[in-house]
């Protein structure tokens, strides 16, 4: 009567994430607009470790969280999935990881269909969710080892020790989860996700609510994992991190994948440069000879702004500076600023004003 209950099917430590519809004189700021791209389609012949085709998700109430998503995530890359709250990021991750059922479409992970061959597909995936749901009264060492065992992996104390040391958790290995700080609990989530040596690692808002030290440690670990061959997919609201870390970037909004491009290509295609010209003496208005040239005069009158495309054969800057000299306008200083990923992102997902 005291026999232990043994589960017939190994539990998968992928923690459900619920997507709820609907929730989710100095130079002056200038509004930039960027052309809306055509709906992306995966490039043929790519070595995709995650392949999504025709994926849609409609909830019982009729809300369509995902709309016909096609996406290839390449082996060994860092892929950043960006989108506003409620865009469908977590729903997409949940479907790929097998925690939510798709209404239509297929997903393969490392060549395994996530429905027909779900055990092999899930064994290839590690997930760092937004929230910590684990046994608060277990020790760090026990909970990370337990996660590894759920995938049928043989015990490997040396590997678990390495993970805990890489995440600065080794001195906390005998502490109960209950006694850890929020930042340390976040590190435990990463350790659990890595415990079974997955080929694909999902990081769902990994930097949310963590301190600067942990954030830097986390990104050092992410780079090391990528260098070792792990494919990283992350969602983040820290766009400077995506700009710094990602090899490719996807933007999702209202359940639709708006674009999916290499970061350098995206920055080059949609990014513009802004030229700021500080004047020696303020202007009351632009001279007639300079009007219609795309120049903006700052409210204080002591600076001119000019947007230009670096890919153009001629930027017009040399001609502009010559025309200023012809008009007797003395220039004190010139500076340029590249459009950031944040500006591009906002231009793609902002709602048109009525």
């Amino acid at each position: 009567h005291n026999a232990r209950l043994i589960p017939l099917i190994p539990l998968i430590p992928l923690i459900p994430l619920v997507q709820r519809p609907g929730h989710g004189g100095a130079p002056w700021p200038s509004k930039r607009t960027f052309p809306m791209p055509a709906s992306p389609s995966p490039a043929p012949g790519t070595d995709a470790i995650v392949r999504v085709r025709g994926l849609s998700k409609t909830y019982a109430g009729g809300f369509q969280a995902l709309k016909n998503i096609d996406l290839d995530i390449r082996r060994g890359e860092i892929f950043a999935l960006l989108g506003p709250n409620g865009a469908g990021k977590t729903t997409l991750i949940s479907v790929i990881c097998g925690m939510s059922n798709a209404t239509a479409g297929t997903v393969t992970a490392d060549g395994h269909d996530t429905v027909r061959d779900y055990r092999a597909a899930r064994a290839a995936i590690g997930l760092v969710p937004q929230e910590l749901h684990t046994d608060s009264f277990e020790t760090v060492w026990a909970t990370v080892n337990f996660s590894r065992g759920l995938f049928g992996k043989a015990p490997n104390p040396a590997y678990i020790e390495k993970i805990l040391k890489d995440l600065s958790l080794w001195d906390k290995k005998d502490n109960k989860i209950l006694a850890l700080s929020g930042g340390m609990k976040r590190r435990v989530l990463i350790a659990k996700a890595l415990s079974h040596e997955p080929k694909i690692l999902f990081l769902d808002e990994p930097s949310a609510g963590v301190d600067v030290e942990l954030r830097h440690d986390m990104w050092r670990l992410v780079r090391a994992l990528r260098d070792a061959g792990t494919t990283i997919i992350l969602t983040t609201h820290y766009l400077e991190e995506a700009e710094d870390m990602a090899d490719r970037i996807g933007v999702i909004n209202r359940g639709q994948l708006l674009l999916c491009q290499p970061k350098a290509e995206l920055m080059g295609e949609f990014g513009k440069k802004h030229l700021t010209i500080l004047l020696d003496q303020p202007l009351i208005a632009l001279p007639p000879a300079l009007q219609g040239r795309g120049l903006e005069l700052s409210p204080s009158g002591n600076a001119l702004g000019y947007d230009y495309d670096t890919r153009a054969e001629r930027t017009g800057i040399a001609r502009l500076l010559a025309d200023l000299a012809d008009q007797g306008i003395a220039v004190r200083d010139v500076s340029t600023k590249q459009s950031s990923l944040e500006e591009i992102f906002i231009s793609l997902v902002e709602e048109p004003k009525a």
Side-chain angles (χ1 to χ4, degrees):
H1 295 288
N2 294 323
R4 297 172 60 191
L5 296 177
I6 306 298
L8 296 178
I9 300 176
L11 299 176
I12 306 302
L14 299 178
I15 301 154
L17 305 175
V18 179
Q19 180 83 5
R20 292 188 295 170
H23 290 277
W28 66 100
S30 62
K31 182 177 178 65
R32 294 168 173 77
T33 57
F34 304 91
M36 182 63 70
S39 180
S41 56
T46 57
D47 182 20
I49 193 167
V50 176
R51 179 159 288 160
V52 178
R53 290 293 181 271
L55 192 67
S56 295
K57 170 70 175 178
T58 304
Y59 288 96
F63 175 77
Q64 192 172 11
L66 298 174
K67 303 173 183 176
N68 197 32
I69 300 287
D70 287 334
L71 174 65
D72 281 349
I73 297 172
R74 299 168 185 170
R75 192 177 300 273
E77 74 173 348
I78 298 178
F79 181 83
L81 182 64
L82 308 179
N85 290 334
K89 303 185 299 296
T90 297
T91 302
L92 178 58
I93 288 177
S94 298
V95 172
I96 294 174
C97 291
M99 299 181 301
S100 180
N101 295 325
T103 306
T106 61
V107 179
T108 59
D110 195 29
H112 304 284
D113 188 282
T114 57
V115 176
R116 294 194 301 269
D117 195 9
Y118 66 90
R119 281 193 176 89
R122 294 182 190 183
I125 294 173
L127 170 65
V128 181
Q130 294 183 36
E131 302 294 336
L132 178 69
H133 297 282
T134 189
D135 188 347
S136 298
F137 297 96
E138 275 289 0
T139 65
V140 171
W141 179 264
T143 194
V144 175
N145 272 285
F146 181 70
S147 291
R148 178 178 177 86
L150 289 176
F151 288 91
K153 291 277 188 178
N156 190 340
Y159 177 73
I160 300 300
E161 178 179 342
K162 181 180 184 304
I163 292 176
L164 296 183
K165 286 181 175 178
D166 287 343
L167 290 166
S168 302
L169 282 171
W170 183 244
D171 61 338
K172 306 286 186 183
K173 65 183 176 66
D174 296 320
N175 290 28
K176 292 184 178 180
I177 305 295
L178 185 68
L180 299 181
S181 67
M184 287 296 173
K185 290 177 181 177
R186 179 71 64 176
R187 295 177 197 231
V188 172
L189 285 179
I190 299 172
K192 285 166 61 68
L194 293 173
S195 64
H196 63 287
E197 304 171 63
K199 297 179 181 179
I200 307 161
L201 181 64
F202 283 89
L203 301 169
D204 195 8
E205 301 288 356
S207 298
V210 303
D211 58 39
V212 174
E213 180 185 3
L214 173 57
R215 194 174 302 152
H216 290 171
D217 287 347
M218 189 182 304
W219 295 128
R220 279 194 292 270
L221 177 63
V222 166
R223 287 190 176 98
L225 289 168
R226 190 267 308 273
D227 293 342
T230 303
T231 302
I232 313 289
I233 300 97
L234 67 96
T235 70
T236 179
H237 283 176
Y238 294 94
L239 298 186
E240 69 275 10
E241 289 181 344
E243 188 169 347
D244 180 53
M245 297 284 299
D247 300 306
R248 288 196 307 142
I249 291 173
V251 177
I252 188 172
N253 192 30
R254 293 180 173 271
Q256 293 181 303
L257 191 64
L258 301 181
L259 61 79
C260 181
Q261 292 181 248
K263 178 181 63 182
E265 182 180 311
L266 173 67
M267 299 296 290
E269 181 174 346
F270 296 102
K272 294 182 179 180
K273 275 200 168 183
H274 184 73
L275 176 72
T276 300
I277 304 170
L278 294 179
L279 306 177
D280 195 49
Q281 297 293 330
L283 296 176
I284 297 175
L286 281 175
L290 296 176
Q291 294 178 5
R293 300 280 297 275
L295 286 170
E296 296 180 56
L297 183 64
S298 68
S300 63
N302 67 347
L304 294 172
Y306 178 66
D307 287 329
Y308 63 98
D309 188 347
T310 55
R311 298 173 300 156
E313 185 177 347
R314 294 183 179 178
T315 62
I317 294 175
R319 177 65 183 273
L320 175 60
L321 294 175
D323 289 347
L324 289 173
D326 290 344
Q327 294 294 314
I329 300 174
V331 174
R332 181 191 302 174
D333 192 18
V334 175
S335 63
T336 62
K337 177 180 178 292
Q338 174 76 41
S339 297
S340 67
L341 177 61
E342 182 172 358
E343 290 173 308
I344 297 172
F345 171 74
I346 291 172
S347 74
L348 290 170
V349 302
E350 69 180 351
E351 299 295 331
K353 296 181 179 179

